[in-house]
Amino acid sequence: MIGDVTPGGGSRTPGVRRALVIGAVAALSLGLAVVEIPGGNAGVGALAPWTAQAAAAAAGVEDEGADCAVSDLGSLTANSRLPDPFKKINGQRITSKSEWRCRREEIKKLAERYVYGDKHGKPAGVTGTVSRTGITVNVSDSGRSASFSASVDLPSGTGPFPAVIVYGGFGADTATIKASGAAVISYDPFTVGKEGTARNNKQGAYYSIYGSSSSTGLLAAWAWGVSRIIDVIEQSGGGILKADATGVTGCSRFGKGAFTAGVFDQRIALTMPIESGSAGVPILRGVAQESGAQPLSSAYSEQPWLGDAFGSFTGNPAQLPVDTHEMVGMIAPRGLFIMENPHVDWLGAQSGSVAALAGAEIYKALGAGDNISYWSDVQDGTHCATRSEWRTPLQQNIQKFLLKTGNASAVFRVSSRKSGNLSQWRDWTTPVLTDSSPSPSPSPSPSPSSSPRPPVSPSPSPSGSPSTSPSPPVSPSPSPSGGVSGACSATVRVINSWSGGWQGEVTVRAGNSAVNGWTVNWTWPGSQTITQIWGGVRSGSGSNVTVRNESWNGSVAANGSTTFGFLAGGSSATPAATCTSP
């Protein structure tokens, strides 16, 4: 505890951002090795329909899967890897984008049951007012009532304006938000769910309605408060604030809250959690193993942030049927900008990067890989500082998802201090989901289709960290007319480049017959060197490169393909590659 601030949480009193100084942490700002890799799997034009769908999802529907029947949540089975987000409770894998709606609802129910507690939907009565300076919210349900309010700070102009709900005075830079053309709604979550209370005596507007002994944790209660603010904005007629252009942000414990709000309300067009730590973005399975990260037992006991039921899993998160990468996926295809601080071990940023990388696979499967950004490359280690590195992507995200005037690509900048290794955590591949409805008896495995490239890749891992990056999925794809002759072929292409280095990707394609195992060879034309590789096992020396398949991606269907990626030093190059199969 530093003053009245818990490193994994936030200030207990809004308005003291500059008190959040963590000793000598700022001195740790040297030595970052990062790469900037735009996300997505196509150009802006190709992703425009999903950007539009993200906007549509933010208009008037808190939970679009509420009508999906989820009566059986299945049994608990220990799994040290991240659960497959594409596998339904009945064991079948989804094969179409239309199936995600009800699969998302399954994840929501699991998250409520085991992690957050129930987040009640819209109460029977919600009224309120929106003015140029504030919002009032009055709720009533089952004979109980409660009220709370939030202040409004408008940007210059006539409006109506999009708005960003800022938790507790700690979140993305409000000056940048206003300068970008969005209003700032200052939300005090403690009026809805008070900290410092016992689990059997919770206080605040949410618990005034649903009972002080409710098993719902503060994060879900705070998210309920955000939803009720959006209800009032919708009812106001849109003269001051736009109902379909709301964002949410928060830092530390309020970052946990902002993330949870974006997870549970599909009207939120842009979610921006900052340094959220344990019980926020970082995968729960990873936090339990990450050195120095706030233990789950500590996050559970520090405040009743998480639902009461989570207490059974603090020592055994592998028993959980969900993890936070699936909560990241629940936000898809809407805008998500995750900001993390790699200098403070307590915040579990390595586990946060894994959650973002795995969640990005869901975005990619939905064709919305360009709607999720992640940034942990920061120089200032001060907790909840206003950072210049985040200013431009913050502006771009507001323009894209709230103002709907921008088309900036997503960006992943992962600090080498806390670079996660997705391949360590998953044993599932990413399907290519079709746009059509599934057949009556969908196959549990993905159907052949074209394979989009992974939208993200972390920077090289620091010493002592896993050296491999996330593995791209194996996804069969149709061959050109006539198929590819021979056992297999390989093509090298440049994904991104920067001063002194670049990212490459190799597509391995089977011919008219399936292959079981492959080896790719090429010779560098100059002094290029591979510094990191994923999705393949490298051998060879000097300018000669040999890459063999991993155990999980050696089998490629006839006329199908898989990919592996790498980071390299030197100038970018696309040497001719050969492929052989035993």
Side-chain angles (χ1 to χ4, degrees), residues 15-42:
V16 291
R17 175 187 292 266
R18 289 303 168 190
L20 297 171
V21 179
I22 298 183
V25 170
L28 300 176
S29 61
L30 301 177
L32 288 177
V34 301
V35 294
E36 178 176 341
I37 302 170
N41 47 20

Side-chain angles (χ1 to χ4, degrees), residues 28-346:
L28 300 176
S29 61
L30 301 177
L32 288 177
V34 301
V35 294
E36 178 176 341
I37 302 170
N41 47 20
V44 170
L47 286 172
W50 274 97
T51 301
Q53 184 162 348
V61 182
E62 183 174 346
D63 176 19
E64 65 176 359
D67 62 329
C68 296
V70 186
S71 57
D72 182 5
L73 296 183
S75 58
L76 297 179
T77 303
N79 179 11
S80 62
R81 302 289 187 95
L82 294 177
D84 183 350
F86 305 103
K87 182 183 290 186
K88 296 186 286 188
I89 291 174
N90 67 7
Q92 294 180 328
R93 295 193 97 211
I94 65 173
T95 59
S96 68
K97 292 175 184 175
S98 62
E99 287 182 280
W100 177 251
R101 184 177 73 90
C102 287
R103 172 57 186 147
R104 180 188 180 278
E105 189 68 16
E106 288 185 345
I107 296 170
K108 175 181 180 289
K109 296 298 186 185
L110 290 169
E112 287 181 311
R113 170 74 64 85
Y114 298 112
V115 180
Y116 299 103
D118 290 339
K119 182 215 169 197
H120 286 270
K122 187 176 181 178
V126 180
T127 61
T129 61
V130 176
S131 73
R132 299 182 67 85
T133 58
I135 297 174
T136 62
V137 180
N138 307 301
V139 292
S140 60
D141 203 359
S142 302
R144 298 180 178 182
S145 61
S147 300
F148 61 96
S149 61
S151 65
V152 174
D153 188 6
L154 298 178
S156 59
T158 58
F161 303 99
V164 177
I165 298 172
V166 181
Y167 268 67
F170 294 94
D173 178 31
T174 54
T176 299
I177 292 172
K178 288 182 61 181
S180 300
V184 172
I185 299 174
S186 296
Y187 168 53
D188 180 2
F190 295 158
T191 62
V192 176
K194 187 178 179 181
E195 288 193 344
T197 60
R199 287 191 172 272
N200 62 357
N201 188 30
K202 301 183 181 81
Q203 303 296 316
Y206 181 89
Y207 302 103
S208 294
I209 300 291
Y210 301 110
S212 60
S213 61
S214 167
S215 61
T216 297
L218 296 181
L219 299 182
W222 296 348
W224 176 88
V226 169
S227 294
R228 307 296 66 89
I229 289 174
I230 297 175
D231 290 341
V232 172
I233 294 174
E234 287 181 332
Q235 296 169 10
S236 70
I240 299 173
L241 301 178
K242 296 181 178 179
D244 64 344
T246 303
V248 62
T249 188
C251 186
S252 201
R253 70 191 62 205
F254 299 145
K256 308 179 203 298
F259 176 62
T260 308
V263 166
F264 284 109
D265 196 324
Q266 291 179 278
R267 296 172 298 180
I268 295 173
L270 176 60
T271 302
M272 298 182 288
I274 303 174
E275 302 180 43
S276 58
S278 300
V281 172
I283 57 169
L284 301 166
R285 286 162 169 81
V287 163
Q289 300 180 27
E290 185 173 342
S291 176
Q294 183 178 22
L296 297 177
S297 58
S298 172
Y300 179 76
S301 61
E302 180 179 344
Q303 298 290 343
W305 293 321
L306 295 163
D308 293 357
F310 186 77
S312 300
F313 302 95
T314 57
N316 185 24
Q319 197 74 18
L320 284 167
V322 292
D323 214 313
T324 59
H325 68 300
E326 293 172 292
M327 282 61 135
V328 169
M330 284 179 65
I331 299 175
R334 295 169 289 132
L336 175 59
F337 179 26
I338 300 169
M339 291 161 271
E340 288 197 302
N341 180 353
H343 300 278
V344 183
D345 291 344
W346 191 255

